[in-house]
C-alpha cells in the first residue's frame, strides 16, 4: 500500500556548478513500499539530485526543500543522511581497492568501528550482510582481486550497514550478471515489502518496467513528467523531447567470402592464481570490415578474449598464435597491440580508462599524443581540432574541453573514452560494453556511428551483455560458454534465442 505522506520528497531543488545549472526547480516524491524509477538522458541531473538527497551535496550548496516523512531536513554530511535512513549505491564505484570486502562494507558509514572491531568480528558482520543479500563473496578478499561485478556487490552491501528507509540505486546493474540482477531485484522486492522507499536510476527500460511502480522523468535538470503506466515510447519522448526512430542501423547483407584481417589460433588463457582455464583453445577469423560479436553469459570469457588480444591480463598466462593480414604478429603488450593497429575500449572506465584528475581534452588524446605531437611539443591546435570533432560527433555534454573528467556525468565519461579510441583511427577496434551507462538517444547515435566507421573500413570486435546490441549490429557472432567456443552464427542464424540456446546449453 502506498501511504499518503511520501517517505521522501524533494521540492524546487536547484543547483549550479560554477554558474552552470545542473538542477532547476526539480521535484520528486518516493513512497514507502514502492520503487520510483528516475530516468533522463546523460547529464540530465539524476546523480546530482540523488547526491542532494543523500547528503553529499550539503545544505547551502543547493536551494529547495528536502522532506523526510513530511519533516524538513538539512544534511551537513552523508552521515546525517544515513542517520535519517537514506542510503545510496553510487553509479561510480568508490571502493578502497587495497582494503578487504568487509573493511569496505563498514568503512564509510562507521569509520570509528574500524579501529574498534577486530577483523574477525568485522568479517563475521560482513558475512551476515552478504549472506542476507545472497552475495557469494568472501569478506576477507581484497577488493582489487574482485571482478567489477563483484565490486558492485560490495558497493550494494555497504548500503545495508544501517537501517534504511530510502535506498537509492544509481545504475546498479551496469556490471552485474543476469543472476546477480535477479538477486538484486529479489532484494528490492523484499525491501519494498518491508516498507522501504526505493529510487532506481537506469537507462534500461526493461529493468524499469520490471521493478518500478512509477517513473519520474528529468530533462536538463528539470522535472518533465511522472508516470504510473507508460509505454517505452512515452518515456523516451519525455526524456529526449522528441521521438527516436531506428535505434539500430538497418542490418546489411554479409559476404562471408571476405578476406581475413586477423586470424586467431589456439587461444588459451589460464588464471595463474586459481590454476583455472578461462579460455580453452579458441580459434576464429576476423574478416575485414565486419562486426564480430562475442556473446556468452558473464564469466564465459568474453572480456578475457579481448584482453588476450591486447597484451593479456596480468594474473593470466596467455598462449595464442595471431596473424594480421596473413603475417604472424605478437600482441604481447598493449603497446605492441596499438602498434599493430588495435584499439581497446575496456569495460572498466575508471580502472583502466580514464584519468579522473585530467580534463576532457587530455583524456581523449592520451593515446594519440604521438600523432598530434611534433618535435616533442604537442600541437595544441591540432589536438583541439580532434577533440572538438569528437565532442560534436558524440555530443559530449561538457562546459568545455578543459573540464575535469571527474565532473562529467557517467555517460559522458563513457563517450570521452569512446572518442579517445576512435580518434586513434585503428584498424581493429575492440569494444567491451561500449554503451554501458549511455542513454537511449546517445546509444542510437553510437550505433549509427559504429556502422558508419565499419562501412568506411574499420573492423570491430564487440562484447556486450545487451543481446539486442549484439543481434542488431553483428555480422557474425561467436558464442562462448565457460571459456569454450560453442557456436559461430551468421546471417539469419543470429537471434537472441539462438545465442542463448548455445550460451546455456548443457
Ligand atoms: N562536481 C561537479 N562539478 C561540475 N559539474 C558537475 C559536477 N557534477 C555534475 N556536474 C554536471 O551536472 C550535470 C548533471 O550531471 P549528473 O551526473 O547529475 O547527470 P546524470 O543524469 O546522472 O547523467 P548520467 O546518466 O550520464 O549518469 C552534468 O552536466 C555534469 O557535468
Ligand atoms: Mg549519473
Amino acid at each position: 500500500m502506498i501511504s499518503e505522506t511520501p517517505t521522501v520528497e524533494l521540492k524546487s531543488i536547484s543547483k549550479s556548478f560554477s554558474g552552470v545549472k545542473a538542477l532547476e526547480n526539480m521535484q520528486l516524491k518516493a513512497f514507502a513500499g514502492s520503487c520510483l524509477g528516475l530516468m533522463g538522458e546523460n547529464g540530465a541531473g539524476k546523480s546530482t539530485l540523488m547526491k542532494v538527497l543523500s547528503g553529499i551535496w550539503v545544505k547551502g550548496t543547493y536551494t529547495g526543500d528536502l522532506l523526510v516523512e513530511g519533516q524538513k531536513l538539512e544534511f551537513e554530511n552523508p552521515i546525517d543522511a544515513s542517520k535519517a535512513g537514506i542510503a545510496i549505491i553510487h553509479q561510480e564505484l568508490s571502493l578502497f581497492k587495497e582494503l578487504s570486502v568487509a573493511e569496505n562494507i563498514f568503512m564509510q558509514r562507521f569509520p570509528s568501528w574500524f579501529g574498534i572491531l577486530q577483523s574477525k568480528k568485522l568479517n563475521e558482520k560482513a558475512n551476515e550482510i552478504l549472506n542476507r543479500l545472497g552475495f557469494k563473496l568472501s569478506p576477507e578478499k581484497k577488493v582489487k582481486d574482485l571482478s567489477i561485478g563483484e565490486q558492485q556487490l560490495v558497493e550494494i552491501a555497504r548500503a545495508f550497514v544501517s537501517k534504511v528507509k530510502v535506498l537509492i540505486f544509481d545504475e546498479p546493474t551496469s556490471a552485474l550478471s543476469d543472476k546477480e540482477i535477479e538477486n538484486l531485484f529479489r532484494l528490492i522486492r523484499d525491501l519494498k515489502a518491508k516498507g522501504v522507499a526505493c529510487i532506481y536510476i537506469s537507462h534500461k527500460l526493461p529493468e524499469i518496467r520490471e521493478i518500478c511502480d512509477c517513473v519520474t522523468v528529468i530533462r536538463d535538470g528539470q522535472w518533465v513528467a511522472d508516470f504510473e503506466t507508460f509505454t517505452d515510447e512515452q518515456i523516451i519522448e519525455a526524456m529526449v523531447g522528441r521521438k527516436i526512430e531506428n535505434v539500430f542501423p538497418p542490418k546489411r547483407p554479409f559476404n562471408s567470402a571476405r578476406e581475413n584481417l586477423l586470424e586467431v589460433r589456439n587461444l588459451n588463457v589460464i588464471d595463474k592464481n586459481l590454476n583455472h582455464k578461462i579460455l580453452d583453445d579458441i580459434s576464429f577469423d576476423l574478416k575485414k570490415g565486419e562486426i564480430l560479436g562475442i556473446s556468452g553469459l558473464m564469466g564465459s570469457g568474453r572480456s578475457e578474449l579481448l584482453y588476450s588480444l591486447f597484451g593479456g591480463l596480468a594474473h593470466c598466462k596467455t598462449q595464442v598464435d595471431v596473424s594480421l593480414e596473413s603475417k604472424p604478429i605478437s600482441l604481447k603488450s598493449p603497446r605492441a597491440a596499438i602498434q599493430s593497429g588495435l584499439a581497446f575500449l575496456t569495460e572498466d572506465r575508471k580502472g583502466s580508462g580514464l584519468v579522473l584528475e585530467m580534463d576532457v581534452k587530455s583524456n581523449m588524446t592520451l593515446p594519440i599524443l604521438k600523432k598530434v605531437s611534433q618535435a616533442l611539443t604537442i600541437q595544441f591546435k591540432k589536438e583541439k581540432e580532434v577533440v572538438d570533432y569528437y565532442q560534436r560527433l558524440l555530443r559530449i555534454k561538457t562546459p568545455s574541453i578543459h573540464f575535469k573528467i571527474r565532473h562529467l556525468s557517467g555517460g559522458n565519461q563513457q563517450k570521452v573514452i569512446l572518442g579517445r579510441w576512435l580518434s586513434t583511427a585503428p584498424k581493429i577496434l575492440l569494444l567491451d560494453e561500449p554503451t554501458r551507462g549511455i542513454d537511449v538517444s546517445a546509444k542510437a547515435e553510437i550505433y549509427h556511428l559504429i556502422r558508419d566507421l565499419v562501412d568506411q573500413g574499420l573492423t570491430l570486435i564487440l562484447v556486450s551483455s545487451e543481446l539486442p546490441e549484439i543481434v542488431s549490429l553483428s555480422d557474425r557472432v561467436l558464442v562462448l560458454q565457460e571459456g569454450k567456443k560453442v557456436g559461430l552464427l551468421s546471417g539469419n542464424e543470429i537471434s537472441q534465442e539462438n545465442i542463448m540456446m548455445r550460451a546455456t546449453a548443457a
Side-chain angles (χ1 to χ4, degrees):
M1 262 313 275
I2 289 180
S3 59
E4 289 289 296
T5 316
T7 306
V8 71
E9 178 169 9
L10 291 164
K11 273 187 182 164
S12 331
I13 302 287
S14 297
K15 167 153 187 67
S16 301
F17 293 105
S18 355
V20 182
K21 275 197 180 135
L23 294 171
E24 196 181 352
N25 211 9
M26 179 59 195
Q27 64 191 52
L28 160 159
K29 284 181 194 170
F31 292 90
S34 148
C35 183
L36 171 72
L38 178 57
M39 295 199 77
E41 289 190 282
N42 295 133
K46 303 177 296 294
S47 296
T48 305
L49 187 68
M50 291 304 108
K51 285 178 184 168
V52 168
L53 179 53
S54 55
I56 292 160
W57 296 127
V58 298
K59 67 172 192 183
T61 64
Y62 65 91
T63 59
D65 293 336
L66 191 168
L67 289 87
V68 178
E69 292 170 338
Q71 204 187 347
K72 214 164 125 180
L73 294 182
E74 287 184 326
F75 300 140
E76 301 203 7
N77 50 48
I79 309 250
D80 281 353
S82 162
K83 280 185 189 148
I86 298 168
I88 180 164
I89 292 152
H90 285 287
Q91 176 174 20
E92 299 297 330
L93 299 175
S94 53
L95 303 174
F96 298 90
K97 300 234 162 169
E98 292 298 325
L99 297 182
S100 73
V101 168
E103 286 164 336
N104 266 287
I105 290 178
F106 290 102
M107 181 82 176
Q108 266 194 342
R109 216 154 283 261
F110 298 108
S112 55
W113 284 26
F114 205 58
I116 302 164
L117 286 181
Q118 289 155 348
S119 65
K120 189 158 167 269
K121 194 103 180 255
L122 200 69
N123 288 337
E124 279 172 19
K125 285 202 157 298
N127 227 350
E128 256 175 55
I129 295 180
L130 292 167
N131 285 337
R132 185 148 52 88
L133 299 177
F135 297 167
K136 288 193 180 53
L137 277 181
S138 153
E140 287 143 72
K141 235 182 170 179
K142 284 236 169 93
V143 162
K144 66 172 183 197
D145 296 325
L146 302 179
S147 72
I148 309 190
E150 290 171 327
Q151 291 184 26
Q152 201 144 15
L153 299 183
V154 179
E155 187 86 29
I156 293 172
R158 211 153 60 161
F160 287 84
V161 169
S162 55
K163 190 167 162 27
V164 284
K165 279 186 201 154
V166 180
L167 189 50
I168 305 160
F169 299 86
D170 195 349
E171 294 189 47
T173 62
S174 55
L176 298 188
S177 68
D178 293 344
K179 183 117 200 73
E180 288 162 340
I181 294 176
E182 231 172 78
N183 275 340
L184 178 72
F185 282 3
R186 190 148 16 93
L187 188 85
I188 294 179
R189 288 197 187 98
D190 237 41
L191 289 166
K192 283 198 320 197
K194 289 192 180 118
V196 174
C198 297
I199 301 179
Y200 193 90
I201 299 181
S202 175
H203 291 291
K204 298 179 186 165
L205 272 159
E207 286 185 0
I208 295 280
R209 191 171 288 293
E210 182 171 347
I211 203 71
C212 298
D213 305 284
C214 40
V215 176
T216 292
V217 175
I218 176 172
R219 183 163 81 225
D220 293 332
Q222 299 180 40
W223 176 87
V224 182
D226 289 333
F227 292 97
E228 275 184 25
T229 53
F230 54 83
T231 62
D232 288 3
E233 288 70 29
Q234 281 172 325
I235 297 261
I236 292 172
E237 205 177 333
M239 285 198 312
V240 185
R242 64 190 151 86
K243 286 207 165 74
I244 295 201
E245 275 145 21
N246 305 326
V247 171
F248 290 103
K251 270 249 164 188
R252 53 178 193 170
F254 182 69
N255 173 6
S256 58
R258 285 173 186 234
E259 36 180 318
N260 290 340
L261 179 59
L262 200 71
E263 283 155 2
V264 177
R265 295 291 175 267
N266 310 105
L267 168 61
N268 284 288
V269 176
I270 295 167
D271 186 319
K272 285 189 280 198
N273 300 332
L274 304 173
N275 210 6
H276 161 77
K277 239 184 189 177
I278 298 178
L279 287 170
D280 192 356
D281 219 33
I282 309 270
S283 296
F284 65 92
D285 298 327
L286 179 66
K287 298 189 179 287
K288 238 179 214 161
E290 81 166 325
I291 300 180
L292 177 68
I294 310 282
S295 207
L297 303 178
M298 189 175 264
S300 58
R302 300 177 314 204
S303 297
E304 286 82 356
L305 190 146
L306 296 188
Y307 275 103
S308 66
L309 298 178
F310 209 80
L313 283 157
H315 65 280
C316 294
K317 189 170 153 219
T318 302
Q319 282 173 327
V320 63
D321 291 318
V322 187
S323 316
L324 180 71
E325 292 170 325
S326 308
K327 287 187 210 77
I329 53 163
S330 155
L331 301 174
K332 282 223 157 24
S333 66
R335 174 190 287 260
I338 292 171
Q339 273 165 358
S340 299
L342 273 72
F344 183 16
L345 176 97
T346 61
E347 64 170 336
D348 176 10
R349 62 170 169 249
K350 218 167 165 188
S352 47
L354 296 172
V355 186
L356 290 174
E357 294 312 321
M358 282 177 21
D359 64 7
V360 170
K361 174 175 69 61
S362 313
N363 266 289
M364 208 185 277
T365 55
L366 217 53
I368 54 160
L369 279 187
K370 255 212 184 121
K371 263 192 197 159
V372 290
S373 64
Q374 219 174 34
L376 293 178
T377 49
I378 297 171
Q379 289 185 323
F380 288 106
K381 195 160 160 265
K382 215 165 184 179
E383 187 183 12
K384 193 174 169 319
E385 269 170 23
V386 172
V387 178
D388 282 346
Y389 175 75
Y390 284 99
Q391 190 201 337
R392 266 200 314 277
L393 191 73
L394 298 170
R395 299 211 202 149
I396 297 170
K397 193 176 169 197
T398 174
S400 92
I401 60 172
H402 305 292
F403 198 59
K404 243 192 208 171
I405 198 109
R406 174 189 288 288
H407 298 150
L408 284 193
S409 78
N412 281 298
Q413 292 184 3
Q414 182 74 3
K415 289 187 195 175
V416 171
I417 191 161
L418 182 60
R420 167 200 290 186
W421 291 115
L422 291 178
S423 65
T424 61
K427 268 191 204 141
I428 300 173
L429 181 58
L430 314 176
L431 296 178
D432 197 355
E433 306 287 355
T435 61
R436 164 173 301 164
I438 291 200
D439 67 54
V440 258
S441 63
K443 261 186 191 163
E445 279 164 30
I446 289 176
Y447 297 146
H448 284 86
L449 179 77
I450 286 177
R451 171 56 61 74
D452 285 349
L453 290 165
V454 168
D455 287 346
Q456 288 161 28
L458 179 71
T459 302
L460 211 115
I461 306 185
L462 171 70
V463 167
S464 170
S465 44
E466 289 198 36
L467 276 177
E469 213 165 273
I470 291 280
V471 169
S472 308
L473 291 174
S474 307
D475 297 302
R476 297 186 303 152
V477 179
L478 178 81
V479 187
L480 297 175
Q481 190 190 79
E482 291 177 12
K484 291 195 173 68
K485 175 174 160 183
V486 289
L488 182 66
L489 308 174
S490 60
N492 292 337
E493 296 165 348
I494 302 178
S495 67
Q496 298 204 22
E497 294 72 31
N498 270 341
I499 293 174
M500 281 316 283
M501 215 162 68
R502 283 169 178 76
T504 57

